Amino acid sequence: MKALVLAGGHGTRLRPFSHSIPKQLVPVANAPVLFHVLDALRAAGVTETGIIVSAPGDAIRAAVGDGSRFGMSVTYLPQDEPLGLAHCVLIARDFLGDDDFVMYLADNVFADGIGEPLLEFQERRPAAQLVVAKAAEPTECGIAEVDDTGRVLGVEEKPDRPRSDLAVTGVYFFSSQIHEAVRAIEPSARGELEITDAVQWLVSEGRDVQARLLAGPWHDTGTVDGLLDCNRTLLERLRPEVRGAVTAGTVITGPVVVAEDALIERSVITGPALLGPGCVVRGSRIGPGTSLGAGCLLEDADVEHSMLLDGASVTGVGPLAGSVIGRSALVGPPPGAPDGERAAHRLVVGDDGRVEIAPQKGRDA
């Protein structure tokens, strides 16, 4: 089986980060989202992958290379304009041939992998198989109507009156019959060839389209909140390990990973948490759901449920919660700021950004 990974798009919901890096390369749990996707595919046994990139796709090509680091071969397929998910299947026709394939949206992370639904697809051999999950807001999702046997009766994109609460997730399994479907449909009102329309065409033609209810966590990392939630889920699956230096006066509880060359002094760390190589943490508190990339500095600070990307610094402020601090960004008090009570903040700071936070006057920090 081959894979078609959709890594185009501009990531408008992830600005300011997507101004300087493709959204698929924004790290979660200290690895780019796209790397989690490719690792999941290889773990499921996929060794040939085509990656749709927005032309020219240089950053993704540089990061992934020929795919050998992931144990697979990679073919790059440029998409000049964002004309829909079904358009990506048209672009990939020569690469895919008549093989079965899994189509994977590269801003989605399935924490328990995709091995089980892939095996089920190979065993049942339907025309298509959707992976669905219960949706809290069905009007905001592509929705599948499914009978008691798992057969899909219909699909609809963001319906005003949903006929079910089963959201179509970011992974699809297709036989070669999908090529007939994408050639048969017309562009939607927004000018795109919708994959939901192609799946509905298969259903309307009486083809066997199945749905499998997802058992484990699934995250769409296309928003800041999605990134943070995904980050925490992945951190919860880490095995505790301390390879860096931890001095007396530091308290570590729960699942915490401290990478090599990191230095932790007089701090409190409550997992799940991940501290990348070369981090320095002094006199600080790190709460659950927090990751620090390589070379981060945390001094006299308080953070939880947050992500600091490579080289970020947070000094003299906190508590920060639900925050994402970009690469080489600086967060700290302005020069000469008086000591005092610290206010709680939620920050989203882009790469190389700088934010100054003056402590509130009142009680000592």
Side-chain angles (χ1 to χ4, degrees):
M1 176 177 282
K2 293 178 180 176
L4 181 62
V5 174
L6 277 51
H10 300 293
T12 56
R13 296 179 299 164
L14 269 183
R15 291 174 179 166
F17 306 107
S18 53
H19 284 305
S20 55
I21 184 173
K23 65 177 181 177
Q24 299 84 7
L25 296 183
V26 174
V28 59
N30 287 4
V33 172
L34 180 56
F35 288 14
H36 292 290
V37 170
L38 297 176
D39 284 339
L41 288 169
R42 185 63 188 90
V46 176
T47 58
E48 292 183 75
T49 297
I51 301 181
I52 299 286
V53 294
S54 298
D58 293 342
I60 289 176
R61 293 172 188 264
V64 176
D66 63 2
S68 58
R69 65 180 293 182
F70 302 97
M72 62 174 59
S73 64
V74 166
T75 299
Y76 294 97
L77 305 165
Q79 185 184 36
D80 294 331
E81 297 181 72
L83 297 178
L85 304 188
H87 181 250
C88 294
V89 178
L90 287 175
I91 290 173
R93 183 67 177 93
D94 290 342
F95 166 76
L96 295 169
D98 290 326
D99 293 325
D100 294 344
F101 67 98
V102 51
M103 188 173 82
Y104 201 137
L105 277 59
D107 53 2
N108 282 234
V109 173
F110 296 81
D112 293 336
I114 62 167
E116 290 186 9
L118 185 149
L119 287 175
E120 185 171 316
F121 172 75
Q122 291 177 322
E123 291 171 358
R124 300 183 66 168
R125 297 303 308 281
Q129 178 177 290
L130 309 179
V131 178
V132 297
K134 294 284 187 179
E137 299 290 343
T139 58
E140 299 300 318
C141 310
I143 294 296
E145 184 182 4
V146 181
D147 70 14
D148 293 340
T149 69
R151 189 179 183 97
V152 175
L153 304 177
V155 290
E156 192 173 2
E157 188 67 28
K158 297 181 180 179
D160 293 332
R161 296 182 179 180
R163 292 193 289 264
S164 88
D165 63 349
L166 296 178
V168 179
T169 69
V171 65
Y172 308 73
F173 297 92
F174 291 123
S175 73
S176 61
Q177 295 180 56
I178 193 64
H179 299 298
E180 184 181 0
V182 298
R183 290 194 303 270
I185 62 175
E186 298 292 334
S188 66
R190 61 178 182 173
E192 297 187 4
L193 292 175
E194 310 286 355
I195 199 64
T196 48
D197 290 345
V199 174
Q200 180 59 52
W201 187 91
L202 291 173
V203 172
S204 299
E205 290 292 310
R207 312 296 174 87
D208 183 16
V209 179
Q210 296 288 324
R212 187 185 195 280
L213 185 63
L214 183 67
W218 157 58
H219 295 283
D220 179 346
T221 64
T223 66
V224 169
D225 285 336
L227 270 178
L228 289 168
D229 290 343
C230 182
N231 192 60
R232 179 153 188 161
T233 294
L234 296 180
L235 295 184
E236 288 170 348
R237 284 160 166 71
L238 293 176
R239 294 183 178 180
E241 183 178 13
V242 176
R243 298 196 299 272
V246 178
T247 68
T250 292
V251 178
I252 296 178
T253 56
V256 174
V257 172
V258 180
E260 63 277 0
D261 299 323
L263 172 63
I264 318 298
E265 297 181 338
R266 309 181 319 279
S267 297
V268 175
I269 305 176
T270 304
L274 171 61
L275 283 65
C279 286
V280 175
V281 179
R282 294 191 180 98
S284 297
R285 186 189 79 88
I286 297 175
T290 300
S291 61
L292 277 62
C296 288
L297 171 65
L298 203 65
E299 191 165 21
D300 188 27
D302 186 332
V303 299
E304 68 175 62
H305 189 53
S306 294
M307 296 167 53
L308 276 65
L309 307 191
D310 290 354
S313 297
V314 177
T315 61
V317 298
L320 299 180
S323 298
V324 181
I325 311 301
R327 296 174 298 178
S328 301
L330 304 175
V331 177
D339 292 335
E341 183 180 280
R342 295 179 180 178
H345 296 275
R346 172 184 166 93
L347 297 177
V348 178
V349 183
D351 291 351
D352 300 308
R354 183 180 183 92
V355 175
E356 295 179 347
I357 301 175
Q360 293 180 341
K361 296 181 180 180
R363 301 190 302 271
D364 290 338

